[in-house]
Amino acid sequence: MDIAQLATQLFSEKMGQEGGEGLTSALSSLLGDGQGGFDLAGLASKMSQNGDLGDIVGSWLGDGENSPISADKLLGLLGEDQVADFASQVGTDPENAANSLAEVLPQVMDQASSGGNLLDSVGGVEGLLGAASSLFK
């Protein structure tokens, strides 16, 4: 199962909605790479640059238990306007969308990084943290 299918399935289960192209498109708009795919490596990099979110994303990418992320932190990361647009596209309110995303994103990222594929694309945990630290020099 590819990342888009996984994210659509998990989010539709969480929301109690039928998944489909509309949900996949909305998720792609929110988490996308501008070419119809999901940019989870970019999201991981952005999180690693944001203080305590680096530890959270590290747990999602590693083999251990996934640390939770609050809906508020996720709103700050993704942007309130972008989450509101996403919520509108999937027929819910921004608060519900943010809460659902906060529960689903750790699972998606964890599944996407299973076997190291996502971590490898950013140079492993060290590469992810190195990219973040280079911004503060």
Side-chain angles (χ1 to χ4, degrees):
M1 178 180 299
D2 75 8
I3 299 303
Q5 290 174 322
L6 175 67
T8 300
Q9 176 186 340
L10 290 172
F11 194 82
S12 63
E13 288 173 3
K14 173 65 185 151
M15 298 294 296
Q17 298 177 345
E18 192 66 32
E21 288 298 315
L23 179 54
T24 302
S25 177
L27 284 165
S28 180
S29 293
L30 183 65
L31 305 172
D33 59 6
Q35 300 173 1
F38 285 28
D39 185 13
L40 296 180
L43 179 63
S45 180
K46 188 175 181 181
M47 289 179 71
S48 72
Q49 298 166 20
N50 192 332
D52 61 333
L53 295 183
D55 290 337
I56 292 172
V57 75
S59 76
W60 298 355
L61 297 173
D63 292 331
E65 189 173 327
N66 293 332
S67 297
I69 187 169
S70 71
D72 287 339
K73 286 187 185 211
L74 196 59
L75 280 170
L77 179 70
L78 298 174
E80 290 184 29
D81 291 342
Q82 288 79 3
V83 173
D85 288 345
F86 170 76
S88 175
Q89 291 175 32
V90 298
T92 191
D93 62 88
E95 182 180 351
N96 191 28
N99 286 325
S100 296
L101 286 164
E103 288 189 36
V104 169
L105 271 179
Q107 296 173 52
V108 171
M109 193 81 79
D110 185 51
Q111 292 291 319
S113 66
S114 182
N117 295 336
L118 185 61
L119 266 181
D120 291 344
S121 73
V122 294
V125 172
E126 292 80 20
L128 188 63
L129 296 175
S133 66
S134 70
L135 296 171
F136 301 104
K137 290 183 179 177

